[in-house]
Amino acid sequence: MSSTSSSSSSSRTEASSSPSIFSSTILRPALADAFRKLDPRVMVKNPVMFVVEVGAIVVTILFAFGLARGQVRSPKLDLQILVWLWFTVLFANFAEAVAEGRGKAQAATLRKMRTTTSARRLREGETSDAEGEMVAATDLRRGERVKVLAGEIVPADGEIIQGIATVDESAITGESAPVVREAGGDRSAVTGGTRVLSDWLVIEIRQDPGGGFIDRMIALVEGSQRQKTPNEIALTILLAALTIVFLVAVATLVPFARFFGGELGIASLVALLVCLIPTTIGGLLSAIGIAGMDRLVQKNVIATSGRAVEAAGDIDVLMLDKTGTITYGSRQAAELVPAPGVTLDELAEVARLASLADETPEGKSIVALAEKLGAKAPSPEGAIFVPFTAQTRMSGVDVGERVLRKGAGDAVKRHVAAFGGVIDRALELEIERIAKEGGTPLVVADGKRALGVVYLKDTVKPGMRERLDRLRAMSIRTVMITGDNPLTAKKIAEEAGVDDFLAEATPETKLAYIEKMQEGGRLVAMTGDGTNDAPALAKADVGVAMNTGTQAAKEAGNMVDLDSDPTKLIEIVEIGKQLLMTRGALTTFSVANDVAKYFSILPAMLTGLVAFQAVSGAPSSSLYWALNVMRLGTPGSAILSAVIFNALVIVALIPLALRGVSYRPLGAAALLRRNLFLYGAGGVVLPFAAIKAIDLLVNALHLA
Amino acid sequence: MRQLRACLSITLVLFVLTCVVYPTLVTAAAQLGFSERANGSLVMRDGKVVGSALIGQTFADEGAHPEYLWGRPSAASDVAVTSDGASPLVVTYSGGSNYGPLHPALADEIAARVALLRATGVEGPIPVDLVTKSASGLDPHVSPASAAIQIARIAKARRTTRERVEAIVAAHTEGRTLGLLGEPRVDVLAVNLTLDRELPMTGKEPTP
Amino acid sequence: MSPRYLALVVVFFLVVALVAWPLGRLLDRVMAGENHMSRRLFGPVERVVYRFAGVDPAKEQDWKQYLSAILLFSFVTQLVTYAMLRFQDRLPLNPAKLAGVAPWLAYDTAVSFTTNTNWQSYGGETTMSTFSQLGALASHNFFSAGVGICVAIALIRGLARKETTNLGNFWVDLVRVHLYVLVPLCVVYALFLVSQGVVQNFLPATSWTTLDGGTQTIVQGPVASQEAIKMLGTNGGGFYNANSAHPFENPTPLSNFVQMVSIFAIPGALCVTLGERVKSRAHGISVFLAMTVLSVLAMLVVGHFEQRGTPILASQGLDLSFSSVAPGGNMEGKELRFGIADSSLFVVVTTDASCGAVNSMHDSLTPLGGLVAILNMQLGEIVFGGVGTGMYGMIVYVAIAVFLSGLMIGRTPELLGKKLDSRDVRFASLYVLVPSVLILGFTALALTTDVGRAGIMNVAATDAAAPWKPHPHGLSEVLYAYSSAVGNNGSAFAGLTAYSTDHPVFYSLTLGLAMFLGRFVPITAAMALAGNLAKKKISPPGPGSFPAHGPLFVGLLVAVILVVGALTFFPVLCFGPIVEHAMLAAAR
């Protein structure tokens, strides 16, 4: 039930897999919660539904008094209206409770992880040799040091200051393969709740109790600390204004009716009011917000605030680190260029032989490329591996008297010269070309013959282009950040399909670039993991830190991606957009519904006024049928049908509210046209049909 | 304090500009350029003002004046304005009936007017403008259709042929401005003055 | 609907567009202090005025200072007007020796003219001396229009500027709009009106003996000069009771056409000014088109029902058909020279714009024709709207439309590159909310009080002795009055007696409050919005942001305006014109 249009392949943890909305574990407590939320102190936070509740209370009291005095004109109808008014409130509460319930289910799993952890705290001055004192994880304060041994759980988020260990982070990321964590560098952060599998670590705690990831995650999914986002606040104001307008519009009907010497029943007045005020969106507003955060957690992203998620929907520019994000970060063999007179096959064979014993990523990639080209000769007996040294700047094998080498151009040049060979002019031009394009030329030599050159380059990750194209379809400009020179950067930028690049980037230039973009009114998102990314992450409107990154980076950003997938922003943006779109669509739908509700309720109310007949001389029924364009059975059934529709539509839309309106990267105008058609035009038409159908049913069952 | 000074000074300047300079300028230019129109387009007969070319006149008792072209009914009234007491000035107070479409008086008054016209021998549909009150109560025109149904009556009262009356009416009928604006209309006062001049009433009393 | 009417509607909007284009560009240059041509002529005057007033034209104001200057100016001029009216018997230019205006009437009138409403609880010819017409009333025709333009310009600046608190200097804006635009235009316009027969003199009332020996006494005065600004400034307060139906105010079909065009001239021009200033002509044109669409819709409805007439008329053996020799239709309360077409068009133009001048009696409109007039005012006077007021009101609706569309495409809503926050929405909501509440609240109040009901003319029976019976048209009269007052329109279902010596207080007080709040609450909201917008950055438009122009934008804007307005007022309109229409149909 939680599927979105995302194509993310990220694995899901037990904790974040979402139960179906209709599973009884969520529905039953949600029903109870729906009643608990009737407390006016809770309701008042939602002005629209508060008005409905007050209306329901007023009608209930008046109905009770009226019944006691025997003054109710149509007790059966009034009672039904009354019941449906309460249903309207309960349905809205239920929607919110279901959304919260889904989060609670996740939180419960997370919470289990936290409860029993204890830690070995190192006192001031104690070294890593000390055993430390055992304390509860919840007693740890920021800045304290703890020691974690193999098999123990990391008690809180922190930074490794000593040691190296393999850590099982599956509880957080869902990735079952253990990762290596060590002091210093960009892999020094550990997360509370993860388990150390081997060796030991000394960790400096970076979070006070309750401020850690798991705590944030729990708070987020439970919606307990949910703060309204800016757009939600703005929408609430608009909805409140609409509510006031309708309140006045309905309340003034009483004097207008009295002007004609008539009295309008309080039940039908409240019914009209409840139908007109935007209960559909008002009832589902908080459920939409909670469900949005819930979806984010399901994507393994933790946001510090809903504001950041909403901002993600507005992102104009995304800045991506090249290394490790767009490319593998290591150079890979991409092409073999044979020298004149040398066949590609021969070059491939030799390049492969020269690299077979080379364990570096470059070496492995040469073997892989050569094998792809058909080289498959078995490793000859007695081959001696000659490793790379800073002096020779070459590596290779000696097979008998064959001296096979691969290395930098000038080094190999000297090497073949020593054998009395020269490098062909054409090959030299090729070497220059590769260097100019930002690649690394690796010349392969067999004795005095220079056979050709291996084109090593930083390789763009597969699928990157598609992901970046998707961002472009969402109107987001992608900018690659790299320390490379502009030439290399340009080449890679073209290959990966990013819109722009920032070459020779330093923390200062990154910051300046972001500021320049923001000056121009653009919203900038940035993904990064290194400590030197921290200032830029902090400056960006949306900073997504990789979970594998440093603690500094995580603290600077306002989101952490547990999967450490730099293009996760696609999903984050979609969730942000869905949040807004769902609110906008339901608001439009809610207001559009009013047209049909007017046409069902107002004729019924007007017909009740005897005065019009006195003035016009026309009988009551003829006036009703003149105004009753929907041809509803009776005035009573018309009002009841509208109220029933109004209540049921909230329930019917709960799945949509939780799932979110589907986002398609269509461009603003096409998207708007589509949603206006679906929720605007649809919102006008649907209730006519639905109310008419309900009315037929109501009349068939003789309910009114 | 600065604001107050700015406010008072600029208010004074603007009052002078809009209430002294502007109307004086316009009046001077109007009197120089279009003195006749600027002063009410008054119509003279025998040296006396008998009306304004723009202002419609009504007959207190239309039935008594079959020899004239009747204009549209009027809701204008004479109102005495407060003066210093000696001779209260009575002015013609412009305005419409303000009857809503369902106002009972509307139907009654139209019925009475229709009856009056029928009594003069009008048959067939009556143009609606002839029996409804204008907005100003001073409408100087009727539609050509409304004039047409009165021609027989006027000709009879003036003991002349329909053609002569028709010609006079046609002479004072104006088409649409630029072929688009306004409605074709007959200038009632001009027709009546021309009738008096060219087809004067010979006897004291025409045959009723 | 006659073919002439359809042609008239088309020609009318073509001419409005032709006038609005150069006028809007002129306004833009004048308000930016860039109009070199007229500056050479009046520049020295302008500088002397600033020195005299101690105003530094280079010093701009933030929204609070700008707003307080507006309020101060309005208060001072309102006070002056009140005094002039009260003491007109002791002031010059009172040829008819009229008494001073009674206190409540003077209060009501002073508020009315200050707020650009020009609701008249009196008949001009029997109440106002020439001095009052000129000094107390015509002056405000200029001032209130000027203030409206200033607010609109300030809000446009708020949209166009970035990261500033400066919105311009009210005193400078006010002087410039008078000196370079309003007064010069009015001089030319007034002389045109005189050429059509509008009177312009300082003569006493003229009397003559009519053909049947009766007496007609027509008040004379400086009508043309007042008429020009009355239309151009969308004021609408007539010199005579019959307003633009009076032959001395509006003598010919041509003068009538020009009057209608002049009502839409500045509101239409401000769309062009908006487009120029925010550097998006397409946006300005789109706003203009949205207004045009709403206006044409209204024109079609009014034209249809007025030309069709009513069953009451048809049942009397009357000819209601349009032809080359008769206008036909519902001619009650309409002038023959204008017929159904020019009158119906005028009804829509004067209620779309918050002008309120009338060339026909709206009280006598068919129920649905009257409904359109009422609804036009209830939409907030934004379809062209008042001079300035229409533009800033429209911008508020644009903000709401953009807010909804932003949500629907999943982006924080942007208005011309400015991200809308909750403060913007709060001010916009206030702008829309307050007028609705005022109209409904005051109408309800008047209908439930005896003194309120006493003013109603259209009741079920004319016989004074018969028991008083309520009538939907009576409700419409009261609803129209407060819609008109809150919308600062000033036209009326004139059957309502809003002032009488028996009941001087109720309507004067409530209409006065309605006009005051209906003017200054929206101005405050608009200025606060301007201040909030000016502070923001401007994001460049991208493929992901919804453009504030084009057919989709126009359609959305029209839909938002209609839905908000219609939903708010549909119930009360049911109790008035809609039931009346059903009754009329039943009366067949």
Side-chain angles (χ1 to χ4, degrees):
Chain A
M1 286 313 295
S2 66
S3 73
T4 63
S5 56
S6 137
S7 65
S8 161
S9 58
S10 67
S11 54
R12 305 275 160 76
T13 66
E14 184 62 30
S16 59
S17 75
S18 75
S20 155
I21 343 171
F22 295 114
S23 84
S24 60
T25 49
I26 285 182
L27 288 194
R28 214 167 299 127
L31 274 176
D33 271 353
F35 283 94
R36 211 166 295 134
K37 284 171 185 285
L38 287 176
D39 185 343
R41 285 167 300 182
V42 181
M43 292 296 293
V44 79
K45 286 180 195 155
N46 183 341
V48 178
M49 296 318 293
F50 183 68
V51 168
V52 180
E53 187 179 28
V54 170
I57 291 172
V58 168
V59 174
T60 309
I61 293 172
L62 290 180
F63 181 75
F65 271 108
L67 215 55
R69 294 184 196 161
Q71 285 171 342
V72 183
R73 260 179 295 172
S74 46
K76 189 174 144 202
L77 178 66
D78 284 7
L79 183 64
Q80 289 186 74
I81 291 176
L82 178 58
V83 169
W84 282 102
L85 289 178
W86 281 111
F87 274 154
T88 310
V89 188
L90 286 171
F91 288 165
N93 288 348
F94 178 68
E96 192 179 272
V98 168
E100 287 174 355
R102 298 203 322 166
K104 281 200 181 110
Q106 295 190 359
T109 322
L110 290 169
R111 201 173 269 125
K112 272 185 209 145
M113 215 182 294
R114 201 182 51 174
T115 45
T116 52
T117 317
S118 56
R120 301 166 191 278
R121 184 166 63 191
L122 298 179
R123 273 184 288 269
E124 200 72 32
E126 272 183 335
T127 63
S128 58
D129 301 336
E131 281 298 298
E133 56 168 336
M134 296 301 292
V135 295
T138 46
D139 290 340
L140 292 171
R141 290 288 178 275
R142 195 186 169 94
E144 289 179 336
R145 294 175 305 146
V146 294
K147 185 173 177 185
V148 188
L149 303 180
E152 291 179 349
I153 288 182
V154 175
D157 296 358
E159 181 109 23
I160 301 168
I161 51 176
Q162 218 177 341
I164 176 165
T166 48
V167 179
D168 173 11
E169 294 192 339
S170 61
I172 304 292
T173 63
E175 185 65 54
S176 54
V179 293
V180 176
R181 292 279 179 237
E182 61 186 318
D186 283 354
R187 292 186 298 173
S188 63
V190 284
T191 309
T194 57
R195 184 182 296 272
V196 174
L197 296 178
S198 69
D199 308 290
W200 53 268
L201 296 170
V202 175
I203 298 165
E204 187 173 312
I205 301 300
R206 285 295 165 87
Q207 296 289 343
D208 282 330
F213 269 10
I214 294 191
D215 304 283
R216 295 220 305 254
M217 214 158 162
I218 291 172
L220 205 62
V221 293
E222 281 193 319
S224 56
Q225 285 179 6
R226 206 176 77 84
Q227 294 208 319
K228 285 185 177 172
T229 56
N231 281 314
E232 195 180 352
I233 295 171
L235 181 58
T236 309
I237 291 170
L238 191 68
L239 294 180
L242 276 175
T243 306
I244 295 172
V245 165
F246 286 128
L247 196 58
V248 174
V250 172
T252 48
L253 288 183
V254 175
F256 297 153
R258 284 204 183 133
F259 174 73
F260 294 105
E263 281 297 336
L264 298 173
I266 186 80
S268 50
L269 278 172
V270 173
L272 178 62
L273 174 65
V274 168
C275 283
L276 291 182
I277 61 176
T279 47
T280 314
I281 178 65
L284 295 173
L285 193 57
S286 57
I288 294 169
I290 295 167
M293 297 307 270
D294 187 43
R295 280 202 300 280
L296 195 65
V297 172
Q298 282 170 41
K299 296 283 176 201
N300 275 349
V301 176
I302 295 179
T304 50
S305 69
R307 182 186 286 261
V309 184
E310 212 169 62
D314 294 344
I315 287 305
D316 301 295
V317 180
L318 169 60
M319 300 182 64
L320 294 155
D321 233 349
K322 184 198 84 175
T323 313
T325 301
I326 294 174
T327 64
Y328 283 108
S330 55
R331 291 168 303 176
Q332 310 251 313
E335 195 185 348
L336 292 179
V337 186
V342 179
T343 64
L344 184 61
D345 285 346
E346 189 188 354
L347 174 63
E349 288 295 350
V350 174
R352 176 168 168 274
L353 288 178
S355 307
L356 269 179
D358 186 351
E359 284 297 317
T360 63
E362 286 90 346
K364 285 181 181 166
S365 76
I366 294 173
V367 173
L369 180 65
E371 285 176 357
K372 212 170 97 189
L373 291 170
K376 51 180 182 293
S379 183
E381 289 294 314
I384 302 157
F385 177 56
V386 180
F388 177 89
T389 66
Q391 283 77 41
T392 61
R393 290 167 57 222
M394 291 189 300
S395 67
V397 285
D398 291 342
V399 186
E401 66 259 31
R402 280 182 84 189
V403 179
L404 308 179
R405 290 289 182 276
K406 64 179 201 304
D410 52 339
V412 176
K413 195 173 175 179
R414 257 182 282 120
H415 168 77
V416 295
F419 282 84
V422 288
I423 290 185
D424 194 273
R425 177 72 193 139
L427 192 58
E428 286 213 34
L429 285 174
E430 204 59 44
I431 294 168
E432 271 173 45
R433 174 185 71 92
I434 293 169
K436 211 174 273 174
E437 285 179 0
T440 307
L442 219 51
V443 182
V444 180
D446 182 354
K448 65 173 187 177
R449 293 173 62 218
L451 298 178
V453 58
V454 181
Y455 189 158
L456 286 180
K457 64 177 172 188
D458 208 353
T459 310
V460 173
K461 287 182 178 174
M464 182 54 60
R465 229 199 143 85
E466 290 69 41
R467 300 281 280 171
L468 291 175
D469 283 347
R470 190 127 161 245
L471 281 164
R472 191 168 306 109
M474 295 166 135
S475 317
I476 295 171
R477 251 170 77 85
T478 45
V479 179
M480 182 184 80
I481 311 170
T482 172
D484 295 340
N485 63 56
L487 213 60
T488 312
K490 184 164 187 285
K491 183 80 186 163
I492 297 196
E494 277 167 10
E495 204 172 314
V498 295
D499 299 305
D500 198 3
F501 61 87
L502 181 65
E504 287 164 356
T506 63
E508 291 75 37
T509 55
K510 287 183 207 174
L511 208 55
Y513 190 87
I514 293 178
E515 278 169 353
K516 196 183 86 192
M517 286 285 147
Q518 289 174 334
E519 251 340 86
R522 292 182 174 83
L523 249 68
V524 183
M526 152 113 189
T527 58
D529 52 3
T531 302
N532 66 357
D533 290 329
L537 282 172
K539 182 72 196 172
D541 299 283
V542 175
V544 185
M546 302 294 101
N547 193 40
T548 50
T550 59
Q551 192 66 31
K554 289 194 210 172
E555 278 169 19
N558 40 21
M559 282 186 212
V560 175
D561 177 21
L562 300 175
D563 295 336
S564 302
D565 171 7
T567 56
K568 183 62 76 57
L569 206 86
I570 293 177
E571 276 83 35
I572 300 175
V573 166
E574 281 183 350
I575 289 170
K577 284 188 182 294
Q578 274 188 320
L579 256 181
L580 293 191
M581 282 168 54
T582 311
R583 291 190 198 124
L586 291 185
T587 304
T588 308
F589 184 80
S590 198
V591 175
N593 274 196
D594 283 0
V595 178
K597 292 172 189 168
Y598 264 142
F599 279 103
S600 54
I601 296 186
L602 274 176
M605 291 181 99
L606 285 170
T607 309
L609 298 178
V610 208
F612 287 128
Q613 299 139 36
V615 176
S616 68
S620 155
S621 60
S622 78
L623 192 63
Y624 178 63
W625 288 105
L627 296 167
N628 178 13
V629 292
M630 289 173 72
R631 297 276 168 255
L632 301 177
T634 63
S637 75
I639 296 177
L640 187 60
S641 304
V643 178
I644 293 177
F645 169 78
N646 190 58
L648 289 183
V649 81
I650 296 179
V651 178
L653 289 173
I654 290 177
L656 182 72
L658 297 187
R659 201 178 56 229
V661 169
S662 67
Y663 170 76
R664 290 171 197 197
L666 292 172
L671 197 59
L672 179 63
R673 199 172 295 123
R674 181 174 176 273
N675 284 340
L676 269 182
F677 177 76
L678 275 180
Y679 301 99
V684 172
V685 176
L686 173 81
F688 276 101
I691 292 176
K692 178 76 191 170
I694 295 172
D695 180 72
L696 288 175
L697 200 64
V698 164
N699 280 299
L701 300 175
H702 301 290
L703 293 177
Chain B
M1 214 49 231
R2 249 187 115 71
Q3 287 270 49
L4 193 62
R5 178 189 159 194
C7 179
L8 294 177
S9 332
I10 285 184
T11 303
L12 183 66
V13 169
L14 292 182
F15 261 111
V16 170
L17 179 67
T18 60
C19 305
V20 181
V21 177
Y22 164 66
T24 312
L25 198 67
V26 173
T27 310
Q31 292 294 335
L32 281 173
F34 316 93
S35 67
E36 187 256 330
R37 291 186 173 190
N39 292 330
S41 309
L42 300 180
V43 179
M44 314 289 282
R45 182 164 72 176
D46 309 330
K48 280 200 314 202
V49 178
V50 288
S52 161
L54 301 176
I55 304 284
Q57 299 186 359
T58 50
F59 302 100
D61 178 9
E62 281 176 329
H65 294 284
E67 75 279 18
Y68 282 124
L69 182 65
W70 299 346
R72 301 181 61 195
S74 168
S77 53
D78 290 334
V79 171
V81 299
T82 328
S83 76
D84 52 359
S87 52
L89 178 67
V90 176
V91 302
T92 307
Y93 186 69
S94 58
S97 69
N98 287 317
Y99 292 151
L102 276 168
H103 197 288
L106 176 67
D108 294 349
E109 288 174 22
I110 288 176
R113 178 87 171 163
V114 167
L116 180 67
L117 287 165
R118 295 271 181 240
T120 65
V122 174
E123 284 163 9
I126 295 171
V128 65
D129 61 282
L130 196 57
V131 298
T132 46
K133 293 184 171 128
S134 68
S136 63
L138 304 172
D139 195 336
H141 303 113
V142 291
S143 67
S146 294
I149 63 167
Q150 300 184 53
I151 283 173
R153 185 195 74 229
I154 297 166
K156 190 175 167 199
R158 295 205 179 244
R159 293 186 180 128
T160 181
T161 60
R162 293 177 56 126
E163 286 73 23
R164 293 206 60 180
V165 179
E166 258 168 18
I168 290 173
V169 167
H172 294 98
T173 301
E174 201 179 339
R176 295 193 173 113
T177 309
L178 306 172
L180 177 70
L181 306 177
E183 292 292 339
R185 53 201 181 274
V186 178
D187 183 339
V188 177
L189 180 62
V191 166
N192 286 338
L193 290 174
T194 313
L195 283 173
D196 278 355
R197 192 170 63 243
E198 294 184 8
L199 302 169
M201 297 294 290
T202 44
K204 184 78 190 98
E205 275 297 310
T207 45
Chain C
M1 230 175 313
S2 59
R4 166 168 109 79
Y5 185 60
L6 296 175
L8 185 66
V9 169
V10 172
V11 171
F12 173 72
F13 278 105
L14 286 178
V15 175
V16 168
L18 280 177
V19 172
W21 186 252
L23 186 56
R25 292 165 58 96
L26 172 75
L27 267 170
D28 183 48
R29 288 199 304 278
V30 164
M31 301 316 278
E34 293 164 1
N35 55 322
H36 300 299
M37 206 179 72
S38 48
R39 216 166 178 190
R40 210 167 300 148
L41 213 58
F42 298 114
V45 182
E46 198 187 337
R47 279 193 291 280
V48 168
V49 171
Y50 297 146
R51 203 168 311 136
F52 172 63
V55 170
D56 175 4
K59 197 161 173 272
E60 300 213 344
Q61 298 166 319
D62 65 20
W63 77 267
K64 284 181 184 157
Q65 294 162 332
Y66 202 103
L67 177 65
S68 61
I70 289 173
L71 296 179
L72 185 66
F73 176 73
S74 300
F75 175 74
V76 167
T77 51
Q78 183 175 319
L79 214 60
V80 171
T81 292
Y82 178 79
M84 281 184 186
L85 295 179
R86 293 284 290 122
F87 303 113
Q88 69 174 2
D89 51 335
R90 295 176 214 172
L91 291 164
L93 289 175
N94 185 2
K97 300 199 167 52
L98 294 164
V101 179
W104 279 106
L105 188 57
Y107 152 81
D108 185 59
T109 307
V111 175
S112 169
F113 277 73
T114 308
T115 57
N116 195 260
T117 312
N118 302 28
W119 171 276
Q120 295 165 297
S121 294
Y122 60 89
E125 55 264 62
T126 54
T127 317
M128 296 296 166
S129 72
T130 305
F131 188 90
S132 294
Q133 296 270 23
L134 261 186
L137 306 184
S139 61
H140 270 295
N141 286 357
F142 280 101
F143 300 164
S144 60
V147 167
I149 294 175
C150 288
V151 176
I153 293 291
L155 184 51
I156 291 173
R157 285 182 186 136
L159 282 170
R161 295 177 176 184
K162 57 181 175 181
E163 296 172 87
T164 179
T165 54
N166 288 342
L167 291 173
N169 185 316
F170 172 69
W171 305 116
V172 175
D173 290 343
L174 190 68
V175 169
R176 282 185 180 156
V177 81
H178 278 90
L179 205 55
Y180 298 132
V181 182
L182 292 179
V183 174
L185 275 181
C186 281
V187 171
V188 178
Y189 184 11
L191 288 175
F192 161 77
L193 289 175
V194 175
S195 81
Q196 294 296 302
V198 178
V199 298
Q200 177 70 22
N201 57 48
F202 286 93
L203 301 171
T206 306
S207 294
W208 54 77
T209 305
T210 60
L211 288 182
D212 74 343
T215 308
Q216 264 185 330
T217 307
I218 306 291
V219 173
Q220 302 252 29
V223 179
S225 59
Q226 186 166 338
E227 195 70 11
I229 187 61
K230 162 191 144 190
M231 310 312 280
L232 203 60
T234 66
N235 293 281
F239 195 95
Y240 299 101
N241 184 53
N243 208 301
S244 277
H246 197 292
F248 275 0
E249 285 199 27
N250 192 4
T252 65
L254 184 62
S255 70
N256 186 62
F257 185 77
V258 174
Q259 289 197 359
M260 291 191 292
V261 170
S262 66
I263 294 175
F264 275 4
I266 294 181
L270 280 167
C271 296
V272 177
T273 311
L274 169 73
E276 294 289 306
R277 199 54 15 202
V278 302
K279 298 198 174 60
S280 168
R281 276 188 189 163
H283 177 63
I285 292 171
S286 296
V287 170
F288 184 91
L289 285 178
M291 292 176 169
T292 304
V293 168
L294 284 164
S295 200
V296 168
L297 285 177
M299 286 167 183
L300 294 181
V301 175
V302 176
H304 171 74
F305 286 103
E306 292 309 309
Q307 188 66 60
R308 203 175 71 165
T310 70
I312 301 282
L313 295 176
S315 67
Q316 304 255 13
L318 303 179
D319 184 359
L320 299 183
S321 58
F322 171 83
S323 71
S324 60
V325 288
N330 176 26
M331 279 301 288
E332 180 70 24
K334 292 185 180 64
E335 296 286 291
L336 188 94
R337 61 190 178 283
F338 307 137
I340 299 295
D342 301 66
S343 301
S344 298
L345 190 61
F346 203 109
V347 166
V348 175
V349 169
T350 197
T351 51
D352 264 344
S354 75
C355 182
V358 293
N359 80 347
S360 66
M361 289 300 132
H362 291 192
D363 215 348
S364 300
L365 290 171
T366 58
L368 296 189
L371 179 146
V372 169
I374 297 176
L375 188 61
N376 269 342
M377 297 185 292
Q378 291 171 335
L379 291 182
E381 295 296 12
I382 50 168
V383 182
F384 291 93
V387 162
T389 63
M391 178 44 59
Y392 58 74
M394 194 49 140
I395 292 175
V396 167
Y397 271 91
V398 169
I400 293 174
V402 163
F403 180 76
L404 277 181
S405 66
L407 290 186
M408 275 201 283
I409 59 170
R411 262 182 92 88
T412 296
E414 275 171 28
L415 173 57
L416 298 168
K418 305 233 166 190
K419 291 205 187 299
L420 296 177
D421 58 30
S422 58
R423 284 170 64 84
D424 298 314
V425 174
R426 187 177 311 148
F427 298 137
S429 297
L430 188 72
Y431 191 104
V432 175
L433 175 69
V434 169
S436 310
V437 171
L438 288 174
I439 291 171
L440 292 172
F442 277 124
T443 305
L445 179 69
L447 289 177
T448 41
T449 50
D450 285 336
V451 59
R453 286 190 298 231
I456 295 171
M457 170 185 151
N458 277 279
V459 290
T462 40
D463 183 0
W468 190 84
K469 278 194 204 162
H471 192 284
H473 198 84
L475 184 141
S476 299
E477 281 182 0
V478 176
L479 179 65
Y480 195 110
Y482 289 104
S483 301
S484 173
V486 171
N488 293 158
N489 182 284
S491 65
F493 270 11
L496 185 78
T497 305
Y499 180 86
S500 67
T501 41
D502 291 339
H503 300 295
V505 184
F506 180 80
Y507 277 107
S508 300
L509 180 65
T510 54
L511 287 170
L513 272 174
M515 291 185 283
F516 182 84
L517 296 172
R519 168 87 165 174
F520 292 108
V521 171
I523 281 186
T524 305
M527 287 307 302
L529 185 64
N532 204 38
L533 287 173
K535 283 192 304 200
K536 298 178 187 192
K537 293 175 186 166
I538 297 181
S539 314
S545 51
F546 174 58
H549 56 79
L552 189 60
F553 170 77
V554 171
L556 181 74
L557 184 56
V558 167
V560 165
I561 291 166
L562 278 183
V563 166
V564 170
L567 288 183
T568 309
F569 294 104
F570 187 68
V572 66
L573 291 171
C574 270
F575 279 76
I578 292 174
V579 156
E580 190 186 10
H581 179 75
M583 285 163 55
L584 203 54
R588 200 187 301 249

